[in-house]
């Protein structure tokens, strides 16, 4: 058929329709024909599916593990998760759960025995244990434990990235409150004090407004810390980047709205200039050069008021600011992570249409059984998608789910989509 189209008919389909095709489309179809006609010389490298398929062992069984399992199933890939919480959010959709701590060596060895490759969806995974288990069992880990070690300590992370030429805000280690006061002298107030380990979702990040607050801020961090100059930013953005087997990919840049250091919304495409967008992708690619191992990386950035792009933080896993990709991109970040850790070809990162993701956070004052009311409007709205994480208890500002609004009109304004998403989020509550 392809030979008839491209040779026998001079590049014109039998119905004559190809005369309206772009040159690019014709070339793409020719490339497909040439690949298929090349026979076994090319096909030996193609990915093969069998039943049962490969198994990915995931350290962590929260909402990220849940969405990884959802993305893996259509590819014939099974997921086993390890998490200390019985019946964790990923359990209903994963093949199985091993109930064990993130640093439990016996549990991780059991996970490795059941998996073809190990990965993680939470940075609390112990890199030393995973490295040791991987070496003993010959089960690969992606991203590599060495990358997890770099990410675990924000000071180490910043030093390695700065040495690689990645732009970062001015920073320094903190030993005592005097170090914070000196940083205020050098950087100006406020400065951002950060726990070097263990912080996520804004936990461990404390703005220090004056020297008088230095002692209390350091006590609240309660551990090794670093301090950064406060960035005068126009907006916070992120790039979800993927490191595959000899290939990399980046998703369209997202604009992130935070309140109380917690992500509330991601708007795609970001309302940034073309120059900033190109620079953000370039920084993300430079970050991938530093990271070791295949997988998805959530790369958080500042777009400064001067139009510069500075690195904020990196997550070596699928990221909250990439949840929009499930409906808004050709291939979701979760499917990309599955493909990448298995060494399979990556999918397209192209944007389907403007998309906004809004988190559903606990709007309660104290912990209670989770019950979300008012979801009918989301379910009835064209282009809206509801994701419920299955957590049994709701707590103040706990991430319980998210909603995406993805419109079919490529020319729709980000402001209109954002307004619609905010209306959907405002319609639901955990308080009743």
């Amino acid at each position: 058929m392809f030979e008839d189209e491209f040779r026998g008919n001079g590049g014109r389909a039998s119905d004559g329709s190809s005369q309206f095709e772009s040159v690019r489309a014709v070339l793409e179809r020719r490339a497909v024909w040439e690949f298929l006609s090349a026979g076994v010389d090319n096909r030996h490298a193609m990915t093969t599916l069998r039943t049962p398929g490969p198994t990915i062992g995931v350290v962590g069984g929260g909402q990220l593990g849940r969405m990884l399992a959802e993305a893996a199933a259509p590819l014939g890939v099974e997921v086993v998760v390890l998490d200390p919480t019985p019946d964790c959010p990923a359990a209903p959709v994963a093949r199985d759960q091993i109930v064990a701590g993130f640093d439990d060596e016996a549990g991780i060895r059991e996970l490795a025995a059941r998996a073809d490759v190990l990965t993680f969806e939470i940075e609390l995974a112990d890199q030393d244990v995973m490295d040791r288990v991987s070496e003993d069992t010959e089960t690969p880990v992606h991203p590599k434990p060495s990358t997890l070690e770099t990410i675990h300590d924000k000071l180490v992370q910043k030093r390695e990235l700065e040495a690689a030429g990645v732009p970062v805000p001015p920073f320094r280690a903190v030993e005592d409150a005097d170090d914070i006061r000196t940083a205020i002298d050098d950087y100006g107030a406020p400065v951002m004090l950060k726990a070097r380990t263990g912080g996520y979702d804004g936990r461990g990040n404390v703005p220090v407004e004056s020297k008088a607050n230095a002692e209390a801020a350091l006590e609240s961090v309660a551990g090794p810390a670093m301090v950064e100059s406060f960035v005068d930013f126009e907006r916070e953005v992120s790039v979800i980047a993927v490191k595959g087997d000899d290939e990399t990919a980046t998703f369209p840049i997202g604009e992130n709205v935070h309140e109380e250091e917690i992500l509330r919304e991601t708007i795609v495409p970001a309302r940034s200039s073309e120059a900033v967008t190109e620079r953000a992708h370039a920084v993300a690619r430079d970050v991938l050069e530093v990271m070791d191992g295949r997988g998805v990386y959530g790369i958080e950035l500042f777009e400064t008021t001067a139009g510069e792009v500075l690195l904020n933080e990196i997550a070596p896993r699928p990221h909250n600011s990439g949840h929009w990709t499930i409906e808004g991109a050709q291939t979701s970040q979760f499917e990309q992570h599955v493909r990448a850790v298995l060494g399979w070809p990556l999918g397209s990162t192209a944007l389907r249409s403007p998309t906004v993701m809004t988190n559903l956070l606990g709007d309660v004052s104290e912990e209670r059984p989770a019950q979300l009311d008012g979801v009918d409007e989301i379910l009835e709205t064209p282009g809206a998608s509801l994701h419920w994480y299955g957590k049994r208890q709701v707590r103040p500002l706990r991430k319980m789910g998210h909603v995406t609004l993805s419109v079919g009109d490529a020319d729709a304004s980000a402001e209109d989509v954002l307004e619609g998403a905010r209306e959907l989020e405002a319609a639901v509550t955990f308080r009743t």
Side-chain angles (χ1 to χ4, degrees):
M1 179 180 69
F2 286 94
E3 186 174 11
D4 288 341
E5 286 192 32
F6 290 106
R7 292 184 178 175
N9 294 329
R12 183 173 289 111
S14 58
D15 64 359
S17 62
S18 65
Q19 63 184 308
F20 301 109
E21 294 177 359
S22 67
V23 172
R24 178 180 178 183
V26 172
L27 291 175
E28 287 175 346
R29 293 172 68 187
R30 180 178 292 139
V32 170
W33 175 80
E34 288 174 349
F35 179 83
L36 292 176
S37 65
V40 294
D41 289 342
N42 275 337
R43 294 182 190 185
H44 77 277
M46 296 176 69
T47 300
T48 300
L49 295 181
R50 297 181 178 86
T51 301
T55 296
I56 298 176
V58 183
V59 177
Q63 62 261 29
L64 298 180
R66 182 186 183 104
M67 288 181 274
L68 274 172
E70 291 169 346
L75 299 176
V77 177
E78 295 186 348
V79 168
V80 177
V81 299
L82 178 146
D83 196 280
T85 302
D87 196 21
C88 64
V93 294
R95 173 71 172 179
D96 199 4
Q97 176 189 355
I98 297 170
V99 180
F102 303 126
D103 59 352
D104 186 309
E105 185 161 342
I108 294 175
R109 286 186 180 276
E110 180 183 349
L111 185 67
R114 300 179 61 179
D116 297 285
V117 61
L118 295 177
T119 189
F120 45 87
E121 58 98 74
I122 188 167
E123 284 90 327
L124 296 178
D126 188 297
Q127 69 267 13
D128 294 329
V129 170
M130 295 191 73
D131 195 25
R132 189 161 54 247
V133 169
S134 176
E135 183 176 354
D136 292 347
T137 65
E138 299 185 346
T139 307
V141 179
H142 288 284
K144 298 288 189 181
S146 57
T147 285
L148 190 57
E149 184 175 9
T150 297
I151 296 296
H152 263 164
D153 189 322
K154 290 185 174 67
L155 181 63
V156 173
Q157 178 186 147
K158 285 290 169 66
R159 284 173 172 167
E160 290 197 15
L161 292 164
E162 183 181 50
V166 175
V168 297
F171 67 93
R172 64 182 58 174
V174 165
E175 299 294 336
D176 53 36
D178 284 339
D179 289 336
I180 301 175
R181 297 184 185 103
T182 301
I184 291 175
D185 284 335
D186 294 342
Y187 302 152
V191 294
M192 183 63 75
L193 183 69
K194 293 185 174 183
R196 288 174 54 178
T197 60
Y200 66 98
D201 278 353
R203 297 171 178 86
N205 292 350
V206 182
V208 185
E209 301 289 344
S210 69
K211 293 181 180 181
N213 298 332
E215 199 81 48
L218 191 58
E219 289 178 3
S220 70
V221 169
M226 61 173 286
V227 67
E228 287 183 350
S229 68
F230 198 84
V231 177
D232 186 17
F233 61 85
E234 181 71 23
R235 57 180 57 85
E236 295 177 271
V237 298
S238 60
V239 176
I240 304 301
V242 196
K243 194 167 188 174
D245 189 12
D246 296 326
E247 61 177 324
T248 59
T250 55
F251 285 89
I253 180 174
E255 177 181 346
N256 301 320
V257 178
H258 289 83
E259 293 179 20
E260 300 179 63
E261 303 294 328
I262 297 176
L263 180 65
R264 304 303 176 100
E265 300 155 340
T266 298
I267 306 151
V268 185
R271 294 169 291 186
S272 301
S273 68
E274 183 177 349
V276 167
T277 297
E278 291 178 358
R279 179 60 180 150
H281 283 286
V283 170
R285 289 190 292 270
D286 288 343
V287 168
L288 289 184
E289 290 294 324
V290 181
M291 301 295 103
D292 189 14
R294 303 191 301 267
V296 163
Y297 295 83
I299 301 170
E300 296 181 275
L301 306 162
F302 294 119
E303 176 189 338
T304 73
T305 53
E308 298 176 317
V309 173
L310 300 176
L311 178 74
N312 181 17
E313 293 181 1
I314 304 167
R317 52 167 173 77
H319 191 261
N320 192 179
S321 68
H323 291 354
W324 68 269
T325 62
I326 299 174
E327 285 81 29
Q330 294 288 341
T331 311
S332 78
Q333 65 165 345
F334 299 101
E335 182 177 334
Q336 294 281 39
H337 193 73
V338 170
R339 290 173 180 238
V341 300
L342 290 172
W344 290 4
L346 303 181
S348 169
T349 56
L351 180 69
R352 292 181 184 272
S353 65
T355 302
V356 170
M357 184 281 304
T358 181
N359 278 323
L360 299 178
L361 305 177
D363 58 350
V364 296
S365 58
E366 58 185 22
E367 183 170 336
R368 64 167 68 177
Q371 177 177 309
L372 183 64
D373 293 325
V375 300
D376 288 8
E377 187 171 347
I378 298 172
L379 298 175
E380 294 169 354
T381 298
S385 298
L386 173 63
H387 294 261
W388 177 249
Y389 300 155
K391 298 176 181 179
R392 302 298 179 88
Q393 297 291 117
V394 59
R395 296 192 292 268
L397 298 181
R398 189 184 193 191
K399 292 176 182 175
M400 303 298 294
H402 73 266
V403 175
T404 55
L405 184 60
S406 186
V407 301
D409 183 1
D411 296 324
S413 73
E415 287 76 11
D416 288 343
V417 185
L418 178 58
E419 181 180 354
R422 286 175 172 172
E423 289 176 357
L424 295 177
E425 189 274 335
V428 298
T429 182
F430 293 93
R431 292 193 298 269
T432 55

